[in-house]
Amino acid sequence: MSVQSIQLTTATRTFAELVDKEVCAIELKYEIELSNYLRAFLPDNFTKPGGDNDAVLLTVCCSRLSAKTTLLAKLINLKYPPASGGIRREHVTKSHKAEQWAHCAKFSFLLNNFGCAVRQCESVVCRCTVERLSRLAPLQSDIAKEERMIDYYIDLLKSDKFDENTATDGINKAINHLENILSIYFSREWYDVKQLFLDICLQYLQGLFWVKINVQRVIFTLSSHATKSNTNEYMESVLIWVQKCEQLCMRLKNHISIDEDLIFTQD
């Protein structure tokens, strides 16, 4: 392909993106205007704290938080993609790339844990009755608080400030908070068990991936010594165990059909 053709293709793509941006801006403007008109015709008690407005916000916020959590995990993977061909010795001994990958694996594991709780909340909110939703409406502020936490991490990625030193305290607290909400307010509600089971499988897979990276880091660190230690042999056995667990989790995950209901029996 000639330079002129490449420039023409780039210009066409840029113009197409500009068109999309301008059209989206117009659509957004009038969607906001439509929302304002609809709000003007709603009864006065619609916007009262804990009212129908909060119920609507809770429903939307749960779904949006779930989507943002998935997006954050995707962005982290794009920013710090796994090593092509796996971790090598130089990644451990001559750079801090292995440390970055280990931290990202840990963060992704925590995100999976958080996302599982969020999707369970989302499932309950989408399935419960209107009366029950009205009673859950005050939780909207709690969910919004967790969304701001996810926004904070997305902003760190956007500004290129997310690295292996990024603290995980915020997401750990958010996980504990959501699990507390689930146990108090959602424990007796219906939710999508199949989605929960899939999320748990993904949690295990991501957790095992995190363990595998750290085991490989230890093995490569110890390999710099002339003699093989018992620790090295133990770590290699742990790596084999991790691989077997990954295979089991993948079989469990693939066994669940997306299109069919998950039915539990006494068998």
Side-chain angles (χ1 to χ4, degrees), residues 48-202:
K48 70 177 183 180
D52 293 341
N53 184 53
D54 281 351
V56 172
L57 290 176
L58 175 63
T59 305
V60 175
C61 195
C62 283
S63 299
R64 188 172 61 224
L65 179 55
S66 175
K68 283 187 176 181
T69 303
T70 303
L71 173 64
L72 178 55
K74 178 182 177 181
L75 291 175
I76 290 174
N77 193 56
L78 288 173
K79 180 70 175 177
Y80 299 102
S84 178
I87 294 179
R88 296 186 294 276
R89 183 177 176 181
E90 58 267 24
H91 294 148
V92 178
T93 58
K94 296 182 179 180
S95 72
H96 64 289
K97 286 185 177 181
E99 185 179 355
Q100 287 180 338
W101 290 324
H103 183 75
C104 289
K106 174 186 177 181
F107 204 93
S108 295
F109 168 69
L110 294 174
L111 273 181
N112 279 340
N113 197 337
F114 178 76
C116 177
V118 171
R119 280 184 287 275
Q120 192 173 348
C121 291
E122 179 187 12
S123 179
V124 170
V125 168
C126 292
R127 281 172 166 76
C128 68
T129 63
V130 175
E131 292 76 14
R132 181 58 178 157
L133 181 59
S134 297
R135 290 195 291 271
L136 295 173
L139 294 174
Q140 180 269 329
S141 58
D142 294 270
I143 302 299
K145 177 183 176 183
E146 307 308 345
E147 185 178 3
R148 288 193 293 272
M149 180 271 300
I150 294 295
D151 288 338
Y152 166 74
Y153 286 117
I154 291 176
D155 287 339
L156 286 181
L157 274 172
K158 183 179 178 181
S159 58
D160 200 24
K161 294 179 180 178
F162 185 97
D163 55 25
E164 66 274 16
N165 298 313
T166 301
T168 58
D169 295 346
I171 194 166
N172 276 317
K173 291 179 181 178
I175 291 169
N176 293 332
H177 185 210
L178 277 185
E179 288 179 347
N180 187 49
I181 288 176
L182 284 169
S183 64
I184 295 175
Y185 299 100
F186 295 87
S187 59
R188 303 182 67 180
E189 302 294 333
W190 289 91
Y191 56 85
D192 189 344
V193 178
K194 181 170 63 177
Q195 182 62 55
L196 177 63
F197 196 86
L198 287 171
D199 284 338
I200 291 174
C201 286
L202 290 174

Side-chain angles (χ1 to χ4, degrees), residues 24-65:
C24 287
I26 292 175
E27 290 179 349
L28 175 61
K29 175 183 176 181
Y30 289 100
E31 284 295 329
I32 293 173
E33 186 174 334
L34 173 62
S35 176
N36 291 334
Y37 279 130
L38 290 173
R39 187 182 292 270
F41 284 94
L42 290 170
D44 294 336
N45 61 355
F46 179 80
T47 56
K48 70 177 183 180
D52 293 341
N53 184 53
D54 281 351
V56 172
L57 290 176
L58 175 63
T59 305
V60 175
C61 195
C62 283
S63 299
R64 188 172 61 224
L65 179 55

